[in-house]
Every structure is written in C-alpha cells, then in structure tokens.
Amino acid sequence: MRLSRYFLPVLKETPSEAQIVSHRYMLRAGMIKQASAGIYSWLPLGYKVLRNIERIVHEEQVRAGHIPMLMPTLQSADLWRESGRYDDYGEEMLRISDRHGRDMLYGPTNEELITDIFRSHVSSYRDLPLTLYHIQWKFRDEIRPRFGVMRGREFLMKDGYNFDLTKEDALHAYNRHLVSYLRSYERMGLQAIPMRADGGPIGGDYTHEFLVLAETGESEVFYDSEITDLKFGDREIDYDDVAQCQAVLEEFTSRYARTDETHDAALFDKVPEARRRSARGIEVGQIFYFGTKYSEAMGANVQGPDGKSVPVHMGSHGIGVSRLLGAIIEASHDEKGIIWPEGVTPFHVGIVNLKTGDAEADAACESLYKSFTALGLEPLYDDTNERAGGKFATMDLIGLPWRITVGPRGLKNGVVELTSRRTGESEELPPEQAVARITAIYGLASA
C-alpha cells in the first residue's frame, strides 16, 4: 500500500479522553474512532490488525478440530428464560423488543443459542464429540466503558462450545482448548498465563482465565515466577491424544497462578518467597467446563450406548479478539508508539523514501515495493512529500516491526538502511539483501 493513497488519520496530540497507552496509541495511529461511549469504528489500520488476530484464532481452532460457524448478534429472550439466566446479566444485557412485541437481546454470549442448535440436530452419542465456535460481535452495557477497546460495550469475541457424552470427554475438550489458546497467544507475540478463575454468571467449577501481565491490567494477579519461563514453542500436539493434552495442562497450570477473585493466601505462602509475584493482568480469554448446566435446563440430550437418554456435558471457551489489540499494545510499546509483533502487524515492512521525486530514490523504492508484493508480503510505502522526521515519527507511531529507509546518499554506495522497530538497531545492506532478510523473518523464500 502506498501511504499517499491510504487512509491513515494520525494525530500529533493525545486525545484528552485516552487514559491508558493502548487507547492513546490506537487513537493517535488512526486505528479507531469513537462512535459513542464504548463503541468504535475500526479504521483501516486497526481493521487490518483485527483481521490478523482473527485469522490466527481461526487457524488454531481449526487445527484443534473445532468447527467454525456464525450465529446472529440478536437472540430470543425466550431461550435465556428457558436456561434460567435471563436476569443474571442484569443491566449489562441490552434488551430489545421488535415491532411485534417479542423480547430480544443483543447477545453477550451464546450458550443458549448454541444449545438450541445442538438439541435440534443431534440426538445420538455417535455424533459426539462436537465443538462448534464462531467469531462474532457481542454487546455488554458496561456502566463505565473506558480504556478504549479494553473495556468497550461492543466487542469482537471468539466463543466456542463443546458437547461431549461424559465428563472425561468434556475435560479433554477443556484441555484441547487450553493448548490451542497457548498456541494462539504465542503466535501473536504474547505470553498469556492461564490462571485459576471464577465462573461468574456462566458457571462451572473448572475455569481458567488467560492473562497478559501489564501495569494497566484490571485484575490483580498472584503467581509463581517460574510460570513466566514456560513457552509452548513449536511443539506438535496431537489434539486427539488425551494424555498429551493433559500433560500440557499440567505443565502450564501446576504452578500457583490465580486472579484476586480466587487467590488463596495460604496456598500462595507455600510458594518459595523468592518466586512469589503479584502484578496486574489483562484478561484476554477464558475457558469453562460447566457439565450439564445448560443441557439439563434446555433438554439437550442424546441417546447413549445403552439406549438411554442423557444430557450432554458442555463447556464454553472465549477469546477477546478486539480486546487483544489493546493487550498487545500494552505489552509491546515504547515512548514513540506501538511495536507490533510480526504475527499481527498490519504491514510487514515500511519503506521510507527520504527524497520523493528523486529519480534514483523513487526507482529503488518502487523496486522494493514490487519485490515484496510479488513475494506475498504487504509493504507500506511512504511516498509522501513529508519531511524525513515526520515520516520516521509516523512509522514509529504505527509500529511496523521493520523499516527500510531509502535515500540518495545510501544509494550512491549501493545500500539501504534496515531498522528493527523493537531494538532500534539499523544496518546498511544492498536492497536485494534487505528483501531477503525480511522474507526470511516471515518464513518465506526470496526469489
């Protein structure tokens, strides 16, 4: 994309309503614009990152054997009354009546709707196990929406639901989700720690929240510092292997890690003092096993191997897709702006032309632009007539992980400058080597 043709309404001043880093930088970088309290329009740069996060979530869910679908934003209140949960959300639930006087609601979650779909189409244990998920907009009418996308009223969430014949099968689904979430977050450049949590209005005795450590986190967390040394990495997992998935769960949850809601001071004191930590955390996902809570209330039964009708065991599993943008920025920024991890960056590399209009500089930039595009990478080419300082400030603000600077002086020596946004380190090298370096970073082969 050429910056001269892109819509990137960057701001030099920080808007007064922005209280935390991610909100400030998302507004200044032209990623979002508030439409009303807690509701945002996603501008092109923000939308690209949002879709990159969504893509990673989809890929890891499908890898785990989960099946994508799409449910509506509006739901019938009758289903929620049937489950007995209609009043649990209180004023956070946006209630609506259509022109016929039917009670509707803007879904904050989808346990009732997915259970209704399941009971309408599945009647035998032979169709189990089954995990369905979707990525859809949700609405929760927060009394004080703040911090931008971190605590908005409208948000994009992945929510998945497993249906299993037995508790043991459902707990394997729970473990499978934990593994897939660890993979997802690490691909986004995050360390999200699974912590024992409270079930809240969704219910369930088995539940873990995934939290990213950050000073601006809304939750106080307590943990054994050893857990921050754990990495899932590139290991291959057979999601059908019960023991293998259980081993990952035990590896990542055996050390003490809890939110303030479930913190147990006596247990925490058993952790060696040198490893005890307390901090703030941003919740970016949660997994639940809640047994037959919804299936019994709503008649979601299947015929078991013995011919008897039994309620299925269920769980629900969510990732805050839009919230993750804020969490990534909170975890990865400096005083100049955002620092995007390669896995979610809106553009793979920035190309800065220091002297737009100079024939040699223009030609070199065009060659770089075409080379990256031919290799399937997306460069952002600053071909504007802005001064060099302004171009660098914009690139630093929007946080592309790599920048190539092209100017007449370097070209006389046959080199361009390649700069890492994260470290600030630069090196001069021929243009073709710069292309090869970037394509290698993204796991591609240069031509």
Side-chain angles (χ1 to χ4, degrees):
M1 175 59 66
R2 300 172 194 275
L3 189 55
S4 62
R5 300 178 186 175
Y6 198 53
F7 182 60
L8 187 66
V10 297
L11 304 175
K12 292 184 178 180
E13 302 297 328
T14 298
S16 59
E17 71 270 22
Q19 300 177 32
I20 63 172
V21 168
S22 58
H23 194 193
R24 291 200 298 269
Y25 282 156
M26 289 185 77
L27 290 171
R28 285 196 55 212
M31 300 180 71
I32 56 173
K33 184 182 185 304
Q34 181 170 299
S36 61
I39 301 174
Y40 294 88
S41 296
W42 290 81
L43 306 184
L45 192 75
Y47 184 66
K48 281 180 70 66
V49 180
L50 187 70
R51 288 298 173 226
N52 286 340
I53 292 172
E54 184 178 355
R55 171 182 51 79
I56 289 172
V57 173
H58 269 305
E59 288 174 356
E60 293 304 328
Q61 288 302 295
V62 170
R63 185 198 296 263
H66 307 157
I67 304 169
M69 58 178 298
L70 186 64
M71 289 175 276
T73 56
L74 294 181
Q75 302 179 32
S76 168
D78 290 341
L79 286 174
W80 285 68
R81 292 191 178 106
E82 187 178 350
S83 73
R85 201 166 61 136
Y86 186 65
D87 295 322
D88 283 359
Y89 271 86
E91 294 183 351
E92 284 190 3
M93 183 184 289
L94 182 62
R95 293 163 169 82
I96 306 163
S97 294
D98 67 15
R99 66 170 64 194
H100 301 291
R102 290 182 290 242
D103 291 336
M104 311 287 288
L105 58 96
Y106 195 126
T109 184
N110 282 71
E111 281 82 5
E112 284 78 5
L113 193 55
I114 194 70
T115 303
D116 181 55
I117 292 170
F118 176 87
R119 70 183 178 183
S120 299
H121 299 287
V122 179
S123 58
S124 171
Y125 75 95
R126 293 185 179 88
D127 296 320
L128 303 179
L130 178 65
T131 296
L132 302 170
Y133 80 94
H134 73 158
I135 298 177
Q136 179 60 290
W137 291 97
K138 304 286 192 293
F139 189 92
R140 294 175 189 171
D141 200 2
E142 296 276 356
I143 188 170
R144 283 186 296 273
R146 52 184 178 157
F147 304 152
V149 301
M150 296 286 287
R151 184 169 289 182
R153 294 193 295 166
E154 184 183 56
F155 54 95
L156 188 63
M157 188 171 83
K158 172 263 163 181
D159 43 320
Y161 306 90
N162 65 281
F163 301 88
D164 291 278
L165 182 63
T166 66
K167 178 178 180 179
E168 291 72 26
D169 292 342
L171 289 178
H172 173 54
Y174 185 95
N175 297 349
R176 198 169 61 236
H177 279 87
L178 181 134
V179 174
S180 68
Y181 280 23
L182 290 171
R183 288 185 58 97
S184 299
Y185 295 128
E186 286 193 13
R187 285 185 61 186
M188 298 172 198
L190 288 173
Q191 182 177 43
I193 301 171
M195 298 192 177
R196 178 71 67 180
D198 181 71
I202 291 178
D205 296 327
Y206 292 81
T207 179
H208 282 86
E209 286 179 349
F210 292 79
L211 289 105
V212 174
L213 300 179
E215 292 180 0
T216 51
E218 74 274 48
S219 301
E220 186 175 12
V221 298
F222 303 85
Y223 62 95
D224 182 337
S225 63
E226 279 193 346
I227 202 167
T228 59
D229 296 327
L230 298 177
K231 298 290 186 294
F232 188 84
D234 296 327
R235 70 181 87 174
E236 289 298 323
I237 292 289
D238 179 355
Y239 283 100
D240 291 327
D241 189 321
V242 173
Q244 201 173 18
C245 292
Q246 177 67 25
V248 174
L249 176 126
E250 291 173 359
E251 177 185 354
F252 281 84
T253 64
S254 59
R255 296 164 181 83
Y256 191 94
R258 296 195 178 200
T259 63
D260 51 359
E261 294 175 324
T262 61
H263 178 52
D264 186 323
L267 282 178
F268 192 51
D269 285 344
K270 294 180 180 179
V271 177
E273 186 175 0
R275 301 205 316 253
R276 289 181 217 151
R277 299 286 187 276
S278 63
R280 309 296 297 181
I282 300 169
E283 182 199 341
V284 292
Q286 190 163 3
I287 56 177
F288 299 85
Y289 161 71
F290 42 68
T292 58
K293 174 180 177 178
Y294 296 94
S295 55
E296 286 185 344
M298 300 181 66
N301 300 329
V302 295
Q303 186 180 54
D306 58 1
K308 295 181 180 179
S309 179
V310 293
V312 293
H313 289 254
M314 293 176 58
S316 69
H317 316 275
I319 287 181
V321 175
S322 54
R323 184 182 179 87
L324 272 164
L325 271 84
I328 291 170
I329 294 171
E330 292 293 333
S332 184
H333 69 272
D334 61 17
E335 71 282 356
K336 296 178 181 178
I338 303 164
I339 305 173
W340 291 118
E342 279 86 353
V344 299
T345 180
F347 295 95
H348 297 100
V349 61
I351 302 172
V352 173
N353 189 339
L354 291 181
K355 196 170 183 180
T356 302
D358 178 87
E360 190 175 4
D362 288 351
C365 288
E366 288 291 338
S367 177
L368 286 167
Y369 185 83
K370 290 178 181 178
S371 294
F372 284 123
T373 302
L375 289 164
L377 294 175
E378 283 192 273
L380 179 64
Y381 171 25
D382 189 342
D383 58 344
T384 66
N385 291 313
E386 178 78 26
R387 295 175 62 182
K391 292 187 176 189
F392 291 145
T394 296
M395 285 291 176
D396 286 341
L397 174 63
I398 67 175
L400 306 187
W402 298 94
R403 184 186 77 223
I404 296 176
T405 304
V406 180
R409 184 180 301 176
L411 291 174
K412 286 182 181 179
N413 298 318
V415 297
V416 297
E417 185 180 67
L418 177 64
T419 303
S420 164
R421 175 69 181 87
R422 185 166 298 279
T423 67
E425 296 176 355
S426 298
E427 63 176 312
E428 293 185 337
L429 65 174
E432 61 274 12
Q433 289 186 22
V435 172
R437 183 76 58 82
I438 294 298
T439 52
I441 288 168
Y442 289 102
L444 300 172
S446 56

